[in-house]
Amino acid sequence: YLGENYDGILRGAFLPDDELFGDDRSAWSYIHNHRISDNWQTDVKIQDVSDVDYTDDFSNNVNVSGSSFLDQQAQLRYRKDRIKFDAKVRDYTVADSSVNTNNEPYALLPRLSFSAETPSDFAGGNITLGVDSEFTSFDHDGDRVTGTRTVLTPYIEAPLTNVYGYITPRLSVVNNSYSLDNVGLGDD
């Protein structure tokens, strides 16, 4: 389907009462992109199969991507001038019976990022002050380490330009903070 501000694709396949497998089998995928306004946009991608042997037994006729893990995600983005915001959730469905679920990728539940910068005439120069930040919650169905990560990076930069070239020195401080679960005994 297609509209002025959105587009999407829904695909599916269904096999009733597969005699060799002994049950109904199916696969489907849904992709949607939507421009909510000039500054806001959202994307969704969901895919699933009825059983872990589906992708091995059938060709990829519904555009289910990935043979071991099926990506499922939703994202909301904001962009205006010098401000950016992203919110994203991402998880996976196991689609291969031979894969150990401990090898499954981490889910991002959620990942939030924010960036902003502002020009400043501090000390009579052309200086930009800004900050990049991110909060991510990592989750896993297995017994791997899970937790959250927070990143905060304030910066200052001053472009130096001339007819023969330019350079933009940047000074930043990166602060990473973790809060982890399922760590080994005696570990913080």
Side-chain angles (χ1 to χ4, degrees), residues 131-134 150-154 173-176:
V131 65
D132 294 326
S133 61
E134 181 179 299
T150 304
V151 179
L152 182 63
T153 309
V173 177
V174 179
N175 176 34
N176 291 334

Side-chain angles (χ1 to χ4, degrees), residues 159-168:
L160 305 171
T161 60
N162 208 320
V163 174
Y164 51 81
Y166 66 92
I167 186 170
T168 306

